[in-house]
């Protein structure tokens, strides 16, 4: 038997990230070792062949790793320490709102009273869940200025597709067969993808030199074949579209609808509502704005709220208040159908309601105010090294550019982002939006303190100094992480997601 030494004795003070290779569970496996053993009972075991038809049984014995519970826990804990996460430090990924989320929301989602209920349980046995959904829908409509919402979509992009299907259903119900949807050139990639999936063609609208939608270009792109426009406000550069009411009027005048990509809702909570700006359809990324950790592969939720004229088309069934204190599942009369196998990612919905309730209206307004304050603080603090792409007050995120570092020392945005990992910060979003050269997009969110922002600024100052003194070291960064600089293009095209990737 070969014995694999396990890296279990690392000192508590050792750095969390290192180059040691973690063995796989199969490498750690020892025959007949198990994580726990059930007490033998007097109930005779039913042979598997009595439970599963022979045709569905695999005649081969599938190997499983045999490890103790202690080794199993240590293995996954060590792996978790090789990751960067919102619980470990600042994660200023622009456009993604990677904010720290309070743990009480996890406690709510962990309540068996909620998570042990089968989604197929009849309404009479799941009144509590239906009430949660109805209450959340009402609150999301209050925040966005909309009439009703579906909670089914499982993410922002799923919300976008739902919104486009709603747009289509609405126009077609009016006998109006439209062809195009307008999208600004700064938009997130999911927007054009959703338009195409929704059966429309994309018309791109250029931004002006202030980073905003060029109103004249927009007007000239409009016509009777335009089904609508998809916008985020603040836009993906982090700037507020000041001419939004003129945009809304121009699109409505040709019979189009306005779709609000709610990825940036964090910035406007309690200050202005998409409905008041003229939007007709709004998706919200609950996993950005309302207390679900974004990223890490966990489930999200992208509820879609709509103006009164679109309510009848919403996906169904929807939890609905049908009588005094009684709730039931109701499918709207002209529903586009289901967009999720069940009712949505329910525990994300419960988290969001808990977060909204605990903050209250004033608390949500403060979330937006602090997010905007933090982004502007950072933009101003870094202005000598990484100037803003558009030198104006921003909203909850600031799009900076590494062009000066590139021109002086050959250091690109990617080098700065990689070096930040060595400094203990997650990288910002790089090279997005596409319209900004060497873009570095920072979204500090409301959950970071001024001390953390100052530490980030000092880390960037050290990187700028390295750019001057030792640029070659920045091209190799990061060196202190479990995986150092990879060939990004090759890594994306030849993904190896197995243990051999690090061999
Ligand atoms: C502006 C914008 N729109 C849409 C999305 C898609 O959202 P999701 O990742 O929830 O599908 C994102 C994601 O970050 C985004 O930033």
């Amino acid at each position: 038997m070969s014995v694999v030494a396990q890296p279990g004795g690392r000192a508590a003070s050792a750095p969390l990230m290192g180059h040691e290779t973690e063995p796989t569970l199969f490498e750690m496996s020892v025959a007949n070792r198990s994580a726990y053993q059930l007490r033998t009972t007097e109930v005779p075991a039913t042979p598997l062949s009595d439970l599963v038809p022979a045709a569905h049984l695999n005649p081969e014995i599938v190997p499983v790793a045999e490890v103790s519970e202690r080794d199993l826990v240590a293995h996954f804990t060590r792996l978790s320490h090789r990751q960067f996460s919102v619980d470990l430090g600042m994660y200023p990924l622009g456009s993604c709102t990677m904010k720290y989320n309070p743990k009480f929301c996890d406690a709510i989602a962990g309540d068996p009273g909620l998570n042990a209920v089968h989604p197929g349980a009849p309404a009479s046995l799941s009144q509590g869940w239906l009430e949660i959904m109805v209450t959340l829908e009402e609150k999301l409509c209050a925040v966005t200025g909309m009439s009703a919402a579906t909670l089914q979509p499982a993410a922002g992009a799923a919300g976008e597709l739902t919104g486009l299907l709603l747009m289509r259903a609405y126009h077609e119900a009016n006998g109006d067969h439209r062809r195009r949807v307008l999208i600004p050139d700064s938009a997130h990639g999911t927007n054009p993808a959703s338009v195409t999936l929704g059966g429309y063609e994309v018309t791109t609208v250029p931004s002006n030199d202030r980073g905003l939608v060029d109103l004249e270009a927009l007007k000239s792109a409009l016509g009777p074949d335009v089904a609508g426009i998809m916008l985020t406000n603040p836009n993906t550069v982090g700037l507020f579209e000041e001419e939004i009411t003129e945009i809304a009027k121009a699109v409505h005048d040709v019979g189009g609808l306005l779709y609000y990509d709610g990825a940036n809702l964090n910035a406007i909570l309690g200050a202005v509502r998409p409905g008041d700006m003229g939007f007709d359809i709004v998706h919200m990324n609950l996993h950005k704005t309302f207390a679900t950790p974004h990223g890490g592969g966990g489930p999200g939720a992208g509820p879609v709220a709509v103006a009164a004229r679109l309510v009848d088309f919403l996906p169904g069934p929807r939890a609905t208040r049908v009588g005094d204190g009684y709730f039931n599942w109701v499918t709207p009369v002209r529903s586009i159908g289901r967009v999720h196998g069940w009712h949505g990612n329910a525990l994300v919905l419960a988290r969001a309601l808990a977060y909204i309730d605990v903050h209250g209206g004033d608390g949500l307004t403060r979330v937006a105010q602090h997010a905007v304050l933090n982004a502007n603080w950072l933009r101003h603090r870094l202005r000598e090294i990484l100037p803003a792409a558009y030198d104006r007050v921003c909203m909850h995120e600031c799009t900076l550019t590494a062009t000066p570092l590139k021109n002086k020392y050959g250091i690109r945005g990617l080098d700065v982002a990689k070096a930040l990992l060595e400094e203990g910060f997650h990288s910002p979003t790089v090279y997005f939006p596409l319209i900004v050269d060497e873009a570095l997009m920072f979204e500090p969110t409301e959950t970071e303190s001024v001390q953390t922002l100052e530490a980030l600024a000092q880390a960037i100052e050290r990187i700028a100094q390295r750019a001057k003194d030792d640029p070659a070291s920045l091209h190799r960064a990061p060196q202190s992480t479990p995986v150092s600089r990879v060939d990004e293009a090759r890594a994306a095209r030849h993904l190896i997601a197995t243990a051999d990737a690090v061999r």
Side-chain angles (χ1 to χ4, degrees):
M1 181 185 81
S2 70
V3 176
V4 179
Q6 289 165 25
R10 189 191 289 169
S13 59
L16 294 180
M17 293 178 174
H19 286 294
E20 310 91 343
T21 304
E22 176 67 19
T24 64
L25 284 179
F26 281 96
E27 287 166 332
M28 293 164 62
S29 179
V30 175
N32 300 321
R33 187 169 283 174
S34 63
Y36 64 88
Q37 280 176 333
L38 292 180
R39 193 163 54 86
T40 44
T41 72
E42 287 162 10
V43 181
T46 311
L48 201 54
S49 50
D50 287 2
L51 298 171
V52 183
H56 298 297
L57 276 179
N58 184 350
E60 283 172 30
I61 297 188
V62 179
V64 289
E66 297 174 275
V67 290
S68 70
E69 180 173 323
R70 194 261 172 278
D71 290 346
L72 190 67
V73 169
H75 172 74
F76 283 113
T77 305
R78 282 193 300 269
L79 284 180
S80 73
H81 284 188
R82 296 164 76 97
Q83 301 278 16
F84 196 91
S85 75
V86 279
D87 283 353
L88 197 61
M90 190 185 183
Y91 211 126
L93 207 54
S95 198
C96 289
T97 315
M98 304 291 288
K99 66 188 183 187
Y100 173 80
N101 291 292
K103 294 294 169 227
F104 78 86
C105 297
D106 289 351
I108 301 280
D111 184 334
L114 293 181
N115 63 33
V117 179
H118 193 281
S124 58
L125 296 181
S126 44
Q127 284 292 296
W129 254 121
L130 274 88
E131 184 169 0
I132 286 176
M133 293 190 170
V134 167
T135 313
L136 177 64
E137 181 185 331
E138 288 167 355
K139 299 209 171 191
L140 294 178
C141 287
V143 165
T144 53
M146 293 283 135
S147 298
T150 169
L151 306 178
Q152 283 186 16
E160 290 173 27
L161 178 60
T162 306
L164 283 149
L165 295 177
L166 287 166
M167 198 181 267
R168 185 174 202 101
Y170 169 81
H171 287 308
E172 288 187 358
N174 292 332
D176 205 355
H177 304 290
R178 296 181 174 234
R179 208 166 48 81
R180 292 184 296 131
V181 172
L182 308 189
I183 297 187
D185 58 2
S186 59
H188 192 259
T190 50
N191 289 185
S194 302
V195 168
T196 308
L197 270 180
Y200 286 117
E201 284 165 34
V202 175
T203 297
T204 306
V205 182
S207 302
N208 60 24
D209 57 7
R210 302 185 69 229
L212 305 176
V213 168
D214 182 328
L215 189 57
E216 288 318 308
L218 172 102
K219 284 184 178 162
S220 59
L222 284 171
D225 62 337
V226 167
I229 184 168
M230 289 184 94
L231 282 180
T232 83
N233 199 13
N235 65 16
T236 42
V237 187
L239 302 174
F240 194 80
E241 292 286 353
E242 294 158 354
E243 294 179 309
I244 186 62
T245 44
E246 286 90 332
I247 294 175
K249 181 169 179 330
V251 175
H252 284 153
D253 281 352
V254 297
L257 296 176
L258 274 86
Y259 182 95
Y260 183 83
D261 175 336
N264 295 335
L265 193 64
N266 213 40
I268 59 162
L269 290 173
V272 58
R273 304 182 308 170
D276 300 333
M277 295 185 227
F279 285 93
D280 305 285
I281 308 172
V282 177
H283 90 245
M284 288 147 275
N285 306 58
L286 297 190
H287 47 286
K288 296 182 178 193
T289 312
F290 298 116
T292 286
H294 184 191
V304 174
V306 294
R309 56 183 163 157
L310 290 148
V311 174
D312 285 349
F313 300 97
L314 281 172
R318 263 173 68 219
T320 309
R321 199 185 296 274
V322 289
D324 197 14
Y326 192 76
F327 304 89
N328 209 342
W329 296 112
V330 175
T331 297
V333 278
R334 293 193 279 181
S335 174
I336 59 166
R338 277 186 175 281
V339 294
H340 190 281
W342 290 104
H343 313 299
N345 286 331
L347 295 171
V348 180
L349 306 179
R351 273 194 174 89
L353 181 58
Y355 183 85
I356 292 173
D357 270 353
V358 162
H359 278 79
D362 288 351
L364 290 182
T365 307
R366 274 196 302 279
V367 163
Q369 288 170 342
H370 290 173
V372 172
L373 181 64
N374 277 357
N376 280 289
W377 190 96
L378 199 60
R379 175 183 62 81
H380 193 260
R381 175 72 176 77
L382 294 176
R383 68 194 182 288
E384 303 296 338
I385 303 174
L386 302 172
Y390 301 95
D391 191 16
R392 305 177 27 208
V393 171
C394 63
M395 296 293 286
H396 64 312
E397 56 197 1
C398 49
T399 304
L400 312 183
T401 170
T403 305
L405 289 179
K406 182 174 75 176
N407 292 345
K408 267 198 205 153
Y409 312 114
I411 293 303
R412 304 194 53 205
L414 184 71
D415 302 317
V416 176
K418 297 289 184 190
L420 267 177
L421 296 171
E422 292 178 335
E423 294 276 353
F425 291 94
H426 195 279
S427 308
T429 294
V430 292
Y431 303 114
F432 176 80
L434 305 177
I435 55 173
V436 173
D437 183 56
E438 295 298 331
L440 286 168
M441 193 183 199
F442 288 89
E443 181 176 353
T445 82
E446 72 282 2
T447 51
E448 299 307 334
S449 68
V450 70
Q451 286 77 16
T452 305
L453 297 185
E454 175 59 24
L456 173 69
Q458 289 181 15
I460 290 172
E461 281 170 347
R462 282 192 292 278
I463 294 169
Q465 190 61 42
R466 270 173 78 187
K468 203 168 160 195
D469 301 343
D470 184 10
S473 76
L474 286 178
H475 294 310
R476 289 192 301 271
Q479 288 297 315
S480 60
T481 48
V483 177
S484 50
R485 179 76 70 107
V486 293
D487 175 340
E488 306 264 330
R490 195 160 152 251
R493 286 183 177 76
H494 300 281
L495 182 67
I496 306 173
T498 53
D500 6 337
V502 289
R503 296 276 180 270

